[in-house]
Each structure stands twice: as structure tokens, then as C-alpha cells.
Amino acid sequence: MELLPPSVRSRGRPRHSFTAAIILLAAGLALTGCAGGTALGRDAGTVVIGSEGEIPPLDPHRLNGTVGLRLIDALYDPLVREDLSKTSDRAPALVPGLAQSWTTSADARTHTFTLRPGVLFADGTAFDADAVKVNFARIMDKSSPVYDKTAAGNMSFLTRWIDTVSTPDASTVVLKLKEPYAAMPRLLTDRRMSIISPAALKQIGGDEIGLKPVGTGSFSVQSFEQGKRLDLRPNPKFWGGKPRAAKIIIEAVTDPTTLAIAAQTGEVDAILSAGAQQVKQFQHNDIMAVQYPDPANQYFIRLNTRIAPTSRPEFRQALNYAIDRAAIARLTGGQAAPSTHPIPKGNEAYDASTRQGAGYSHDPGKARRLLAESGVATPVRLRVLSPNSGPGFTQATEIMSLIQQDLKAIGVELDVQYMEFASLLAQEGPGYPDGVHGSFNGWTTGAASADFLERMFSGKLVPPGGVNRGWYRNGRVDALFDQARGERDDAERFSLYRRAGDLIAGDAPWVFLYQDRLPRLLNREVTGVVPATSVYIDYTTLGRR
Amino acid sequence: MDSPTALGPQSVSPARRLRLPRLTNGNATLNIGAAIVLGSVLLALLAPWLAPYDPLRTDTSALGLGIFSPGHILGTDEVGRDILSRLLHGTRLALLVAVVPTLFALLVGGCLGLLAGYVGGWVDSVLMRVFDVMFSFPGILFALGIGVALGPGLTSMIIAMVVVTVPEFGRIVRGAVLGLKQEQYVEAARALGFSHSRVAFRHVTPNLLGSTIVFATLQTGRNVILSSSLAFLGLGAQPPTPDWGQMLSGGRSLLLTAPHVATIPGLAIVVLAVGFNLLGDGVRDRLDPRARRTRP
């Protein structure tokens, strides 16, 4: 009763005010329930993006996972960007980000970046070479006051190549590398290497910057409810002109069915990583359109090459021949494109020869012959780990059911231990222990040839330093990697990586499964999203009719 | 002196026995409950012969087929497996995870309750406080916690369910024992110098059976729901084992395009749970002397 406004309380007998209270309460609930929906009339410039995962703290250097990286892309800029305005079947071309141009020395060990002039952070401070230096200090200079151990660990994929970062003048940054690495500019497009405002970093602190992000991006944060909702407005200080959308709202709706309903009712305009069931629902639908950007990624069962029987190449090849990848494609409504080669579509080195794959067709007869050659007695039991849910793995249990059946047909029993994705990472992070034959996993940033292939397959990058968790090692592959890394000529470098890729395909350290085409669902009113081979979208062109 | 009243019902019962089996004697609740439970047991036993397909056989050319599709009476699920076959095979697991935890909880909880009630004193206080602590957690949350700690799987789910339900059995038995301890025949047995174990197991325990059997049957019905919930959350038997809770969870992704995939296992869970509850109610009606007296 005391919660009622006086006007209601004074109007007559208590019974009426009680009724009024109920009505008010109902109306209030209805209003809060509809907030963010179109029902109450949303202005045309607002785009609501449904996030399939919870919104993490938006600290680029500490981030991992597409859900968060895709969001920070609106708030921050890396030094080098990808051209998201064109479609192709290779990685998008490089375009200037915060660096206007760059040069690589003849030995591929020194990279010089000329910075874009006149750029301001959202907090009004100027972007210059010192800002870049502070950002690198945060992830690699232990003596720096802004040094952050978590961020440093997350960024080691980049910093392990870098010897020094120097700033000869306010608009030049020079990276001196420990080893030749010609593809450094591509590596710098990784959104984790976005540049944070040094002033904000010092003022807000490394632990809080994820909740109050300050960058140079096209948008800045109006309000942020961690996990649930992010409200973005155009950054008035953005260097690239005025973005088309007047407001972008990101709503986390982690249940796929609920997210689909929200799209159907118009509460959500875009789902940037849609599941097969969502796509199926919106096919031939006049509300949402489906778009396939086909970014570079791989889904696979990484095998433990240290223990029997997965230590034998013939056995691993047999597994690859046993899988009916077309069935997985059918299960996912065509969303999972069969993959039989380590170099995915959308990778820089992808071309017609890798498109053919390694010839791992569905051939149970051949699989059985290879099994016999490998000398492994069937039936044999393999223990693998698998996520049971999470972004990218909504159909994991179904896919594993198909694989279990395929392998059973050649006498291989697959014992699958399902767990949350985070638990999977915790378990396989230190590399497979001797009791585990592998795990179902995926890798979503596969555009860079050097970075992707070396991290997946280099014998030098096993845990704890790397993510080659199956302990795969081939001396010839590692030699090719070393040779390719210093090769400045793109065509030559890509051809070296393709040769390495062919060798890897033959060794079959993975059961190659599929590439997620990562369909987007966009309301037909939404404009400015080009299906470039990337999980990212251009926030400056995103708009609504 | 009181022979007429004592003989009265007994003189009627032989005649009734001729008409109907005694257990289901004119009790609709009991009849329906028993029919559902017995029917489920039969289906579970005969599942391999009744099921038209291997419950694990996937077929990606027939995903999410509707009810009455040719060859698949109840349609197919999200991986193209025959729902009827999975449902039939799932009956085995459903009964197993309903009955086995009940039996274990009955055994453990019953013994603890008997101990607490019969011995009394500090033993009683300690046990009851422990049960209080366990009661203070919401059942499903408690079970989830235990299940997560032990790692997902059938065994850990059963352990979790036993742990969650032990205090309930303990409480019920303890309460009954406290009452029985005051009975003259128990006091007489103790006065005769019988050992405590003899009094507890030979004189008290038989008189506890009625109320505990009723409670156990009702608890089995609740276990159907609890086990399905845990399986739905991914704690029970691991895929692709046919399990109703898991089928329900898997069908969720098709809720908008093929709702029957989730609805059918959901209905099965409801029917089995209701079956056990009716059986429990029916048995109570049979065993409760007051209820019997009200009947003509």
C-alpha cells in the first residue's frame, strides 16, 4: 500500500486502491517486459543485435571468444583492419585501421607502422604512438605500471614474436621481432590487439576497463549491464565519419529458441551467429534473411598423438575415412560444410587445391583396410571429450551421435564424455592426459595462415605454451613453417603453407569434420552488412531502413 | 467379548477374495496406478522386441519427422532416430532411476531413522540436525551440486538422488518409531529383556512397513520427475543413451518446427509419475486402517 502514489491512495476506499495497485503492477511488468522491443515503437535508427552468449567484460586484451570480440569491434580499433565491404573465398584484404600504412623490412623482422593523424579516443584524449606503446606495455612489459598478467597470457600469441616496441616519433610505431614473421600486419587485425585509451587505463584500472571501455571505435558505451545488455551510441569523436545507426543495442539471449522467438517478433534485428534450427525456421520467411559469410574456422576431433591407438597415422586416417560428413551437413541443414583439409575456406592460403581437401571421402571399406594395416585390433574403445552446449556447439551431442555411429561401423567405440565448454577447456588446456584420446572442438579465427596453422599444428607450440593439445609433431611441417614465416612474398608464402597443410592432412592429427558457415539472420529492414569472409561486421555501415 | 467386531470383516473377506484379487480390491486409484506401473515394466522388459528400430540408429535423411510418418509412428528426433524406439528403450532407464534410488534411500534413510527414533538422545539430535541441514537446500539444487561434483553419469545421478531423499525417509521412519516406542507390545518386549536389536528389528520394524511402503511408492513417482530434470540438465546417462529427460532436452531445439519431439517424452514422464503416485495413494488407502473402516 505505501508503495502507491498518493493520487491512487486518496481515491476512495482501500479496495479500489488495491485494484489500482494490481493494474499498476501489471502495467509496470508489461512495460519492463517490453523494454527494448519494437512493440512500443522503436526509432528507425536503432538496431538490436541478439547475442547468443552472455556479454563478457569488454576488455580486448583479456577477451576470448567471438561473442565478446565481435562487440569490442564497435568500440575499439586495431592498427590494421580487414576489408569487410567485399566478398571472397579467402581472408578479406587488409585495410588501414589506426595505422595508415605499414612497411616490412627485407628480413621480415622489422615492421614500421605510420599512424593515422588526428584520432581521438572517446574520452577526448589523443591517439598517438605513445598510446600504442602503453597498450603493448600492458601485455608484455612486466615493469610497466599498466602491466596485466591475465592480458599478457591472452596476448602471448602475438607478443611471443615481438622483441621491442619503439616510437621514433608521435606517429610511428616500430615492432622489432625475435624471428622473421612476414604476416605480422595480418596478425595485428586480431581484435584483441585493439588500442585502449591509456588515460582510461590509468584512471579506471585494468580490472575495470572491461566494464567502462574507452576506445577509438565508431561507437561508445551508453550503458552496460554485464552479461545482459549493452547500449551503444555513435562516438562523436570517431575518426571515420558518422556511423549510419543512431543506436545499437545488444541483448544477450542465450537460449536459441527464445532468441529465435525474439527475432520472429521483431524484438531482435540481427542474430550474428545463428544455429541450424533458427536458420531452418527463418528460411523462406519475410521477416528475417539468411546470410552466409563463411568465415575461416574449423571443427574437428583433435586426437592425442601420444597414446595408442591414436598415435598411429593409419589409424587416424581410418577414422577420417569413416566419417560421413555429408550426414553432418544434412543434420545442420547445410550449415556445416564438410572439411577434410587443415586450411579452411576464408584462410589467406586457401585455393583450389585445398578446396579439394585431402580426399577423405566417406569410405568405410577403405577405413577398415587402413585399420587392418595399422595393426589395431577391433573393437577398440576411444575416450573423447566433447562440449554439450555453448556458442558453436548447440548441436554437439547430435553431431557426436552421428560420429559414434560412423565409427561403430568400422569397429571403433567412441566413449564421449560431455561437459560444459569451459570445463572442456580446463581439462584439455594442459594438453591431453594419457587417458584421453582427443576432444571435439573448434577454432574460429582461422583467417591468418601463419598464425592459424602454426598454432594448431606446430610441434613447438604444445601446452603449456601453445594450443597444440594433441602433441602432434612433424619435423618437415615445422621446417616449412619456419621457412614460410620469413617469406615476404605473399604468393610464395601461401604456397609453402599449402604444402605444410597437405602434409598435415596426410598425417591426420585431427578427425577433420566441418567448417561452420556461421549464418547470420538479419531482419529485412537491416542494411549495410556484407557477407565478407569474417565473423565481424562493419558497424559504421550497419543501419536500419 | 469383542469377537463380533473382530470377526465381522474377516467373515466377509473370503467371499470378496473370490471375486477380485485382494490387492486391487475395488480401488480404482490402485487399479489405474498398478496398471500404468505394471504396463511400464512390461514395456521395459519387452523393449528390444517391441521397438521397431535400434534406438541409436541415426538417419539424417529423416530429421524431425512428424507423428504417423510412414515407418515412424511417433516420428523421428533431431538426429533422425525413431522416437517410439527411444521411448520404449528409455522406459528401462526411467524405471531404473526411479526405483533404485528409492530402494537405496529407503535402506539408508530407514536405518538412520530407526536408529534416531529408537536410541533417541544425542544420536537423535545429531542425525536430525544433519537432516535439517540437508533439507535446507532445495532438492534439485542439492542434487545438481552433488552430480556436478561427481561428474555427469548415471551412477553419480543415482548417488545424488539417494543423498537428497535419504533425510525424507529418515524423518518418516523416525517419527513412526517414536510413536511405536510407546506401544505396549514394545514396552512388553523390552520388559521381557529382549535385546535392543531384537526389539528394533523384530517388533518395531514390521510395523513401520505400511507407512514406509506408501511413502516409498510416492517417492518413486517424485524420482521420475527428479531424474528427468537432472537428465534434462545433462547430469544423467550420457547421450546417445535413450533417456526421457535427455530426449526432452534434445527436442527443445525443434520446439518451434517439430514440437512432438519434446512433447512425447514429456508426456511419458508425466504418465509414469502419475502412475506411481496413483499406486502410492491406492496402497495407502489399502493399508491405512482408518481409510478401510470408512468403506462399506
Side-chain angles (χ1 to χ4, degrees):
Chain A
M1 284 281 275
E2 353 20 307
L3 292 173
L4 292 176
S7 59
V8 176
R9 205 185 301 157
S10 60
R11 206 183 293 154
R13 291 175 301 168
R15 212 151 53 100
H16 283 135
S17 55
F18 180 72
T19 318
I22 296 290
I23 292 169
L24 268 182
L25 190 67
L29 284 176
L31 279 172
T32 43
C34 292
T38 37
L40 296 169
R42 187 170 69 210
D43 40 304
T46 304
V47 180
V48 182
I49 296 174
S51 170
E52 71 276 15
E54 285 187 16
I55 305 173
L58 300 172
D59 178 344
H61 305 159
R62 286 187 180 187
L63 255 182
N64 238 321
T66 316
V67 170
L69 288 171
R70 204 155 39 198
L71 298 181
I72 59 156
D73 203 27
L75 304 169
Y76 296 98
D77 290 302
L79 291 175
V80 184
R81 275 195 170 277
E82 296 170 303
D83 184 359
L84 297 180
S85 67
K86 293 189 186 74
T87 58
S88 83
D89 60 359
R90 287 201 191 177
L94 300 182
V95 292
L98 288 177
Q100 213 169 19
S101 62
W102 50 89
T103 55
T104 304
S105 68
D107 64 355
R109 290 176 76 135
T110 307
H111 296 266
T112 308
F113 297 85
T114 308
L115 304 183
R116 189 181 291 278
V119 175
L120 293 177
F121 286 103
D123 60 3
T125 55
F127 162 80
D128 56 12
D130 275 339
V132 178
K133 195 167 167 123
V134 169
N135 275 263
F136 274 100
R138 186 178 186 225
I139 57 175
M140 58 189 293
D141 178 5
K142 283 187 181 136
S143 62
S144 160
V146 291
Y147 179 76
D148 186 313
K149 209 174 156 205
T150 317
N154 192 37
M155 299 301 290
S156 62
F157 77 97
L158 171 70
T159 53
R160 66 190 195 84
W161 302 109
I162 300 175
D163 188 25
T164 59
V165 180
S166 55
T167 53
D169 60 64
S171 64
T172 311
V173 175
V174 179
L175 301 184
K176 280 223 160 43
L177 308 185
K178 294 173 186 160
E179 285 176 62
Y181 196 110
M184 183 47 73
R186 169 73 67 183
L187 200 55
L188 288 173
T189 64
D190 193 300
R191 305 308 194 272
R192 280 171 287 184
M193 198 50 242
S194 294
I195 304 299
I196 305 173
S197 157
L201 207 50
K202 276 168 200 148
Q203 204 176 26
I204 299 169
D207 289 329
E208 296 291 312
I209 194 77
L211 304 175
K212 296 168 184 159
V214 182
T216 58
S218 47
F219 284 80
S220 56
V221 174
Q222 174 82 17
S223 68
F224 181 20
E225 252 183 276
Q226 198 198 327
K228 291 183 208 150
R229 193 170 199 269
L230 180 66
D231 188 345
L232 302 178
R233 298 295 151 85
N235 173 8
K237 303 189 176 71
F238 179 54
W239 50 270
K242 195 169 176 253
R244 212 174 286 169
K247 198 170 164 189
I248 296 179
I249 289 167
I250 291 101
E251 290 264 11
V253 187
T254 46
D255 182 70
T257 312
T258 317
L259 186 54
I261 293 170
Q264 178 71 43
T265 56
E267 276 179 78
V268 160
D269 295 317
I271 301 174
L272 297 181
S273 291
Q277 285 307 322
Q278 295 169 332
V279 171
K280 191 176 172 193
Q281 191 190 338
F282 287 110
Q283 248 155 16
H284 322 295
N285 174 296
D286 52 6
I287 300 169
M288 304 292 277
V290 185
Q291 191 180 77
Y292 288 98
D294 286 310
N297 62 62
Q298 289 272 26
Y299 285 81
F300 47 83
I301 297 175
R302 190 198 292 110
L303 297 169
N304 186 346
T305 58
R306 279 210 308 207
I307 58 164
T310 42
S311 54
R312 308 196 185 178
E314 297 86 6
F315 182 79
R316 300 195 300 256
Q317 288 163 359
L319 299 185
N320 270 290
Y321 279 109
I323 305 295
D324 182 2
R325 296 175 181 81
I328 299 177
R330 278 199 300 278
L331 173 77
T332 56
Q335 186 183 332
S339 159
T340 60
H341 194 278
I343 299 180
K345 186 182 178 192
N347 185 286
E348 314 175 287
Y350 181 83
D351 81 350
S353 70
T354 48
R355 189 176 299 134
Q356 313 274 317
Y360 289 122
S361 51
H362 179 217
D363 189 344
K366 188 159 187 180
R368 277 189 215 100
R369 279 198 299 283
L370 281 163
L371 265 185
E373 274 174 40
S374 74
V376 176
T378 52
V380 61
R381 217 166 243 287
L382 298 184
R383 183 162 168 262
V384 300
L385 315 176
S386 166
N388 55 11
S389 57
F393 294 102
T394 44
Q395 286 187 289
T397 52
E398 285 104 313
I399 289 167
M400 290 311 278
S401 304
L402 293 186
I403 294 171
Q404 277 173 315
Q405 180 168 288
D406 288 342
L407 294 185
K408 202 174 174 182
I410 63 160
V412 177
E413 290 280 345
L414 204 61
D415 264 343
V416 186
Q417 191 185 341
Y418 291 99
M419 56 190 73
E420 298 274 316
F421 187 66
S423 320
L424 177 80
L425 285 190
Q427 284 218 17
E428 67 166 43
Y432 298 127
D434 284 348
V436 174
H437 290 101
S439 66
F440 175 35
N441 208 331
W443 200 264
T444 52
T445 48
S449 48
D451 179 54
F452 174 70
L453 287 174
E454 287 206 37
R455 278 162 89 196
M456 296 293 111
F457 302 108
S458 166
K460 297 172 192 164
L461 293 178
V462 293
V467 293
N468 177 2
R469 294 167 186 149
W471 316 102
Y472 168 70
R473 181 188 289 273
N474 179 337
R476 285 168 66 203
V477 169
D478 288 351
L480 277 171
F481 283 159
D482 285 338
Q483 192 188 341
R485 205 183 308 119
E487 177 56 60
R488 284 177 73 209
D489 179 59
D490 282 356
E492 182 56 29
R493 187 169 73 247
F494 298 155
S495 118
L496 287 170
Y497 279 119
R498 280 194 291 273
R499 273 170 57 198
D502 291 343
L503 285 176
I504 295 162
D507 284 342
W510 290 353
V511 179
F512 299 102
L513 293 177
Y514 62 91
Q515 188 170 349
D516 191 339
R517 302 192 66 200
L518 283 176
R520 292 174 186 146
L521 284 169
L522 300 170
N523 191 298
R524 291 187 189 276
E525 303 278 297
V526 170
T527 57
V529 182
V530 175
T533 42
S534 174
V535 292
Y536 300 105
I537 60 169
D538 188 340
Y539 284 98
T540 58
T541 56
L542 175 69
R544 207 161 186 284
R545 268 195 209 103
Chain B
M1 270 198 290
D2 50 354
S3 53
T5 46
L7 284 173
Q10 279 175 10
S11 59
V12 180
S13 52
R16 278 197 182 177
R17 245 182 243 158
L18 290 177
R19 272 182 269 137
L20 275 171
R22 189 175 156 78
L23 193 70
T24 60
N25 195 349
N27 183 339
T29 315
L30 186 60
N31 288 348
I32 297 171
I36 292 175
V37 172
L38 284 177
S40 306
V41 172
L42 267 180
L43 289 179
L45 289 175
L46 298 177
W49 292 277
L50 292 176
Y53 295 92
D54 176 352
L56 303 184
R57 202 197 70 136
T58 60
D59 180 1
T60 49
S61 59
L63 300 174
L65 292 184
I67 300 178
F68 301 125
S69 299
H72 301 280
I73 295 176
L74 293 182
T76 59
D77 70 359
E78 69 280 4
V79 203
R81 293 174 296 213
D82 183 58
I83 293 180
L84 178 62
S85 306
R86 286 180 73 71
L87 201 66
L88 286 169
H89 280 270
T91 317
R92 299 177 150 199
L93 203 57
L95 287 171
L96 180 85
V97 294
V99 174
V100 170
T102 311
L103 293 180
F104 276 108
L106 176 63
L107 194 71
V108 178
C111 288
L112 292 176
L114 186 60
L115 188 70
Y118 188 82
V119 177
W122 65 267
V123 176
D124 185 29
S125 302
V126 169
L127 277 173
M128 284 309 115
R129 290 305 79 73
V130 172
F131 286 172
D132 282 343
V133 170
M134 291 165 81
F135 269 123
S136 65
F137 294 101
I140 186 127
L141 195 67
F142 194 25
L144 263 179
I146 298 167
V148 168
L150 297 176
L154 193 57
T155 322
S156 56
M157 182 173 91
I158 290 177
I159 292 173
M161 290 172 69
V162 172
V163 173
V164 170
T165 46
V166 155
E168 308 204 17
F169 281 98
R171 274 283 170 84
I172 293 276
V173 170
R174 173 190 174 263
V177 171
L178 286 182
L180 288 173
K181 248 170 50 169
Q182 314 297 325
E183 293 288 336
Q184 282 188 354
Y185 66 88
V186 174
E187 286 186 0
R190 291 168 83 170
L192 281 171
F194 289 159
S195 70
H196 282 305
S197 62
R198 180 171 174 153
V199 176
F201 290 110
R202 296 286 292 276
H203 297 267
V204 176
T205 307
N207 290 290
L208 292 169
L209 285 181
S211 55
T212 40
I213 285 175
V214 170
F215 184 73
T217 317
L218 293 171
Q219 184 57 45
T220 310
R222 282 199 288 271
N223 276 352
V224 173
I225 305 283
L226 179 61
S227 64
S228 304
S229 314
L230 292 174
F232 179 87
L233 296 167
L235 270 195
Q238 293 297 288
T241 317
D243 174 283
W244 292 355
Q246 214 183 81
M247 288 167 72
L248 187 63
S249 164
R252 233 174 2 150
S253 63
L254 302 180
L255 211 50
L256 297 174
T257 46
H260 67 284
V261 179
T263 322
I264 291 171
L267 278 176
I269 293 166
V270 170
V271 169
L272 187 61
V274 167
F276 272 112
N277 274 314
L278 291 178
L279 184 67
D281 285 347
V283 171
R284 186 188 53 210
D285 290 349
R286 289 293 312 173
L287 296 180
D288 187 340
R290 273 167 303 173
R292 210 188 303 174
R293 217 177 294 145
T294 57
R295 209 169 290 133

